[in-house]
Amino acid sequence: MTDHPFRFGAVAGQAPDAGAWAALARRAEDLGYATLLVPDTLGTFSPFSAAAAAAAVTRTLHVGTYVLSAANRTSRAVAWETTTLQTLSGGRFELGLGAGRPDAERDAAELGVRFGTPSERIERLSETIDAVKDARILVAASGTRLLRLAAAKADTIALGVPPHSTEDQVAAKVDELYELAGDRFPDLELGMNLAAAGGEPPAWLGALGATATGVLRGTPGEMADVLRRRRDRLGVSYVSVNAQYLDAFAPVVERLAGT
């Protein structure tokens, strides 16, 4: 379904101190991960600052936001931060954007900014993409309006599906995106996030069935086979994983990255 090679990202938003954060970034780079991605919550590191610190201690690792709530910042502020990080990282910054997860409204209130209606947030997201230049843009999207925007303006689309979604449910979302993207579809890199891989899933996930796409179990070879099948069926070639599973998932990265 796609000619895009596999890329892998690690999602992390906390570390005990600067040394531990630097060590995590270097470890991700050494294990073959393409990106270290920082979430945008008031309970984690500031994403731009954390990404800059990770870029400063690595050479090839890309850093990014996963994903920035465009509603909580002006488009000009995001463009300013992005241009700075693109320059200082040698082009290794990837901007991930979204219209705001449910908890982002609470963060907006703490920051003293207006969260806005869904339509207003999508418009802000569109304005932010237009304001940013010379950066790879990822948009997290699930609903039709966001998928349409992402199909028109993003380089990468992170499919915003819950971790308990089945492959059939993800396939329906990809089919919708295919119709919306038209001729752009082959150029789009599709991504999904794994809540757990190669080990026991975290307790907060509860009892997920064997068909859940957000949890990958089995031997490295078995997990790699699942991802190959998903790429063939769904077109998903960019896979991110919680950094808690950085080492457990590394054998899969070694098998598939760049292929």
Side-chain angles (χ1 to χ4, degrees):
M1 188 177 202
T2 180
D3 294 328
H4 291 285
F6 277 110
R7 292 203 306 150
F8 296 95
V11 181
Q14 284 285 11
D17 52 40
W21 183 249
L24 173 63
R26 293 191 187 103
R27 182 67 175 159
E29 182 175 60
D30 291 343
L31 291 174
Y33 287 85
T35 54
L36 178 62
L37 306 169
V38 187
D40 183 23
T41 81
L42 291 183
T44 53
F45 285 151
S46 168
F48 287 116
S49 298
V57 297
T58 55
R59 294 178 298 172
T60 61
L61 184 73
H62 282 217
V63 297
T65 55
Y66 194 80
V67 292
L68 203 71
S69 176
N72 293 2
R73 298 165 179 82
T74 66
S75 57
R76 183 66 186 91
V78 175
W80 179 33
E81 297 278 10
T82 298
T83 299
T84 300
L85 261 173
Q86 272 292 89
T87 300
L88 297 183
S89 69
R92 290 187 287 131
F93 179 67
E94 300 186 15
L95 178 65
L97 293 166
R101 72 194 193 289
D103 285 349
E105 185 170 9
R106 183 177 59 196
D107 288 353
E110 290 191 43
L111 292 168
V113 298
R114 183 174 179 273
F115 193 57
T117 66
S119 293
E120 289 171 336
R121 298 200 306 274
I122 291 173
E123 180 61 29
R124 171 66 63 80
L125 176 57
S126 179
E127 291 171 355
T128 301
I129 295 172
D130 291 342
V132 174
K133 298 178 180 179
D134 302 324
R136 187 184 187 98
I137 302 291
L138 173 148
V139 172
S142 178
T144 299
R145 287 185 294 176
L146 273 176
L147 284 171
R148 181 178 291 111
L149 173 63
K153 296 188 176 185
D155 300 299
T156 300
I157 298 177
L159 299 171
V161 292
H164 58 265
S165 299
T166 65
E167 283 196 9
D168 285 344
Q169 290 171 321
V170 178
K173 192 66 62 178
V174 173
D175 288 344
E176 182 181 10
L177 176 61
Y178 178 84
E179 295 299 324
L180 294 168
D183 292 343
R184 282 204 81 218
F185 186 80
D187 298 326
L188 295 171
E189 180 184 55
L190 303 188
M192 286 181 63
N193 184 60
L194 297 175
E200 288 300 315
W204 64 265
L205 280 172
L208 288 175
T211 59
T213 55
V215 175
L216 203 58
R217 297 186 177 97
T219 66
E222 289 169 340
M223 290 189 287
D225 286 343
V226 169
L227 293 182
R228 289 190 190 97
R229 187 186 72 244
R230 288 182 184 172
R231 184 174 65 175
D232 290 343
R233 183 188 181 193
L234 306 172
V236 174
S237 60
Y238 184 29
V239 180
S240 57
V241 65
N242 188 308
Q244 175 183 347
Y245 301 94
L246 189 78
D247 289 287
F249 193 59
V252 180
V253 175
E254 184 178 9
R255 281 171 167 79
L256 297 181
T259 65

